[in-house]
Amino acid sequence: MTTDPSAQDLRARALAALAEQTIELPSWAFGNAGTRFKVFSTPGVPRDPFEKISDAAQVHRHTGVAPRVSLHIPWDLVDDFGKLAEHATDEGVSIGAINSNLFQADEYKLGSLTHADPAVRAKAVAHHVQCIDVMRATGSTDLKIWLPDGTNYPGQDDITDRQERLAESLQQIYAELDPEHRLILEYKFYEPYFYTMDIPDWGTSLLHCLALGEQAKVVLDTGHHAPNTNIEFIVAQLLRVGRLGAFDFNSRFYGDDDLIVGAADPFQLFRIMNEIVRADALRPDSGVNFMLDQCHNIEPKIPGQIRSVMNVQEATAKALLVDREALRTAQRSGDVLGANGALMDAYNTDVRPLLAELRESQGLPADPYAAYARSGHQEQIATERVGGQQASWGA
Ligand code: RM4
Ligand code: MN
């Protein structure tokens, strides 16, 4: 441990900030997932939204930083959402963002909120009204929209008309929100359509949010950018204008791979968290919801989520250890290598002992991943959960 008083101070402040951090888990991470080639099944996978929430609660129990679960409608439809919310409370977690689904109905082949036919647009808007009702029943405050709409061929539809139709549909949804609700709007540069996507980038999402009003914010899914996009620049820009509503964390090597956050590029995750810390946006009241959006195709799901949460914590801890004063001084005096060195010193710090100390001070296992493996829970659900239909991406 260091004896330098300013380093000790930095460490103490890092511990305090880490103690307040929360990360939201996606219900779909606990179901089976795969590619269009194969969805593998895993013993012990939840059969319904209640079991998905119980699994998410295991992650929270071991890490202490994952107190919310996002739902996906209709995948997580239940008869009584009040009961589901109660179940979450009993398990020590709560319901987070409600995700709408505009990509699995035949009517949406040529678009949903952007469709040329007003009847199809009305159906897509009505689905969001249903999601807002789920928010009221569960106490959720975030309505998350990922728009899968787009076109495959030049000339297929009028790009501008689609934007006008989208703006109008979004306005109708926005008008349904309660004052404490937010509409958080995601973007993705390609897929499921390959020529145009109707919300391909942060600029398009931001323009729609600005037109809607203060309750509309941008969602940044780390996997939804072209290779080599400077994501931390986007983070900085959205924070500047107060419109970064949430992250969908995951990592990618090629496309929208939905791999464990920090697995493909931990340095990028650190650079993103560095902008968050720089803007003081880690505070629980900053309005940035740190969510995971991942699938665990071949690895076990609960340990996969535990690992993800730990990766976010590690990147955050490193960002908190950046000596901001030294960095500023170097930046202002034009000391290029000194400034870069201040960042790299923090990045190269092994923060695992610091996080172990934090967890132990909170009565949590120093290594949540190992503790879960020892708990026997995985074997228990594999034996208990027989029969029924295992939850899967898209069902
Ligand atoms: C989309 C998008 C959404 C997620 C779905 C499952 O690609 O990232 O956020 O809800 O996938
Ligand atoms: Mn996403």
Side-chain angles (χ1 to χ4, degrees), residues 151-159 194-196:
T151 65
N152 270 357
Y153 295 98
Q156 179 190 323
D157 196 3
D158 188 278
I159 292 173
F194 305 121
Y195 168 55
T196 57

Side-chain angles (χ1 to χ4, degrees), residues 341-364:
L343 269 196
M344 296 314 291
D345 276 347
Y347 178 65
N348 288 319
T349 308
D350 182 359
V351 292
R352 289 172 296 183
L354 180 79
L355 286 162
E357 181 185 325
L358 170 75
R359 294 183 187 116
E360 282 180 327
S361 76
Q362 297 172 322
L364 293 162

Side-chain angles (χ1 to χ4, degrees), residues 103 146-150 152 188 190-194 197:
F103 52 96
W146 169 59
L147 186 79
D149 296 13
N152 270 357
K188 184 175 179 184
Y190 92 104
E191 198 194 43
Y193 296 95
F194 305 121
M197 287 295 285

Side-chain angles (χ1 to χ4, degrees), residues 36-330:
R36 64 181 183 275
F37 299 102
K38 171 73 180 163
V39 174
F40 298 103
S41 66
T42 310
V45 155
R47 280 82 49 85
D48 58 37
F50 288 84
E51 290 182 346
K52 289 185 199 174
I53 286 178
S54 297
D55 285 7
Q58 284 293 326
V59 178
H60 184 46
R61 227 160 267 154
H62 286 84
T63 62
V65 289
R68 297 181 308 280
V69 193
S70 322
L71 301 184
H72 205 116
I73 307 298
W75 301 346
D76 294 321
L77 266 187
V78 291
D79 294 338
D80 185 345
F81 276 101
K83 236 174 101 185
L84 191 66
E86 242 173 69
H87 172 67
T89 309
D90 291 345
E91 291 274 27
V93 295
S94 65
I95 306 295
I98 302 300
N99 291 249
S100 62
N101 184 319
L102 299 169
F103 52 96
Q104 286 177 316
D106 281 335
E107 293 101 309
Y108 297 153
K109 185 162 75 175
L110 300 180
S112 59
L113 296 174
T114 63
H115 201 285
D117 179 351
V120 177
R121 296 203 298 277
K123 177 185 155 120
V125 170
H127 169 56
H128 289 87
V129 175
Q130 176 198 26
C131 289
I132 294 168
D133 280 338
V134 173
M135 291 165 72
R136 293 188 183 117
T138 55
S140 159
T141 52
D142 281 351
L143 173 66
K144 183 160 141 233
I145 306 181
W146 169 59
L147 186 79
D149 296 13
T151 65
N152 270 357
Y153 295 98
Q156 179 190 323
D157 196 3
D158 188 278
I159 292 173
T160 308
D161 285 352
R162 292 177 75 88
Q163 287 299 310
E164 302 303 346
R165 300 194 288 253
L166 173 59
E168 196 189 299
S169 302
L170 287 173
Q171 252 156 39
Q172 289 171 15
I173 297 168
Y174 191 81
E176 297 290 329
L177 296 178
D178 293 341
E180 69 276 19
H181 290 169
R182 308 192 306 169
L183 184 160
I184 54 175
L185 192 59
E186 194 170 343
Y187 58 92
K188 184 175 179 184
F189 81 117
Y190 92 104
E191 198 194 43
Y193 296 95
F194 305 121
Y195 168 55
T196 57
M197 287 295 285
D198 292 305
I199 309 185
D201 51 31
W202 67 276
T204 307
S205 175
L206 179 61
L207 282 179
H208 283 287
C209 288
L210 290 173
L212 289 171
E214 270 303 320
Q215 285 162 262
K217 312 273 176 189
V218 177
V219 180
L220 187 156
D221 184 312
T222 46
H224 289 188
H225 303 85
N228 299 324
T229 300
N230 183 333
I231 296 178
E232 61 271 26
F233 181 87
I234 302 170
V235 172
Q237 195 68 286
L238 289 173
L239 285 170
R240 255 190 82 227
V241 295
R243 293 285 177 156
L244 180 63
F247 281 100
D248 263 4
F249 279 132
N250 49 47
S251 70
R252 66 187 285 281
F253 284 99
Y254 300 103
D256 187 20
D257 303 340
D258 281 329
L259 299 182
I260 287 175
V261 56
D265 189 349
F267 184 43
Q268 178 186 65
L269 183 59
F270 162 76
R271 297 192 315 260
I272 290 171
M273 293 315 295
N274 177 52
E275 293 307 322
I276 290 291
V277 172
R278 145 76 179 73
D280 196 20
L282 199 60
R283 287 176 297 104
D285 63 350
S286 73
V288 181
N289 188 355
F290 299 87
M291 307 186 286
L292 304 180
D293 177 13
Q294 300 179 175
C295 298
H296 301 293
N297 298 1
I298 55 168
E299 67 276 26
K301 291 139 206 336
I302 298 174
Q305 289 285 285
I306 291 176
R307 173 65 72 219
S308 307
V309 162
M310 291 171 74
N311 285 354
V312 175
Q313 281 186 299
E314 284 169 24
T316 307
K318 290 178 182 206
L320 286 163
L321 290 182
V322 172
D323 184 340
R324 302 267 148 206
E325 239 179 76
L327 179 64
R328 281 266 175 213
T329 309

